[in-house]
Amino acid sequence: MKIAENTVVGLTYELKVSKEADEIESAPFSVETRDSEDPFYFLFGASDLPEKFEELLLGKEQGEDFSFVVPVAEAYGEIDEDLIVNLPKSQFSGENGFNPEMLQEGNFLPLMDEDGYPMQAKILKDLGEEVLLDFNHPLVGFDLHFEGNIEEVREATKDELAHGHVHGAHGAHDEE
C-alpha cells in the first residue's frame, strides 16, 4: 500500500538538524531517533508536521527507505521574536504544579495555551523575579534532515479519520 491521504503511516527515522549562519552551514547533528521499538505513527494529511515532510513521503510504500531535507522555510520557519517573552515567576508556583527545579535555564516547561492545548516553552534566562521564555517551536530556524524507513502503511479507521489522529501508542495494533 502506498502513502496517500487518510492512510496511517508508521516510520522509523533519524532526524538531524543544521543551521545556516553567515553562509556557513553547520554540520547536521542528531536530535531525535525513532526505532522499530517505538515507530512514529501519524495520520497522513492531518499531522502537525511540515507540509513539505508529508509531500516528500507521498506515494512511498511500506518497506521503502527515505532520505530528504526539509529546508527551514518549509519546516518551522525562522525565529519569531514576538514569541520570546518575560513572565513573572509567580505564575509557576507549586499551586500551579511547578517546582523550582523545573525553572532551570534550558528546560522546557509543559504549558497549556488558552484553549487548553499542550504547548512548551524553553527557559532562556532566569531574571530573578521573572523568567525569559521562548515559545517558538524547538526546531525553528533549522533545516531538517530525515533518514529512515517506512515501517507500515494502512488505511485509517473511521474513528481515526473522525478524530484526526492515530489511536494507541503503536498505531492500529490495539484495534485489530
Side-chain angles (χ1 to χ4, degrees), residues 160-175:
E160 287 168 333
L161 292 174
H163 293 105
H165 58 84
V166 180
H167 294 293
H170 299 289
H173 304 305
D174 312 345
E175 295 175 20

Side-chain angles (χ1 to χ4, degrees), residues 6-89:
N6 299 335
T7 56
V8 168
V9 182
L11 305 175
T12 54
Y13 63 82
E14 182 178 18
L15 167 59
K16 293 179 177 176
V17 297
S18 63
K19 193 174 258 202
E20 235 172 88
D22 306 327
E23 311 294 309
I24 302 162
E25 170 120 8
S26 70
F29 61 93
S30 185
V31 290
E32 186 183 15
T33 303
R34 296 294 287 264
D35 59 19
S36 51
E37 298 290 303
D38 181 28
F40 171 67
Y41 282 92
F42 68 99
L43 177 59
F44 194 87
S47 74
D48 288 334
L49 298 161
E51 226 171 275
K52 187 72 177 171
F53 177 81
E54 290 198 352
E55 202 180 288
L56 292 164
L57 289 172
L58 188 63
K60 293 195 180 303
E61 297 181 49
Q62 191 162 314
E64 214 173 310
D65 289 329
F66 60 89
S67 177
F68 53 74
V69 177
V70 180
V72 70
E74 295 177 290
Y76 294 102
E78 297 295 348
I79 286 176
D80 181 347
E81 297 295 337
D82 294 340
L83 294 177
I84 298 176
V85 292
N86 286 348
L87 288 178
K89 271 192 189 167

Side-chain angles (χ1 to χ4, degrees), residues 96-126:
N96 295 343
F98 294 95
N99 64 47
E101 287 82 68
M102 292 169 88
L103 297 179
Q104 309 273 322
E105 291 180 11
N107 281 359
F108 283 94
L109 286 178
L111 303 169
M112 296 272 180
D113 68 11
E114 54 273 8
D115 300 320
Y117 287 103
M119 59 190 295
Q120 58 179 12
K122 185 176 185 178
I123 300 174
L124 297 181
K125 198 139 187 64
D126 183 336

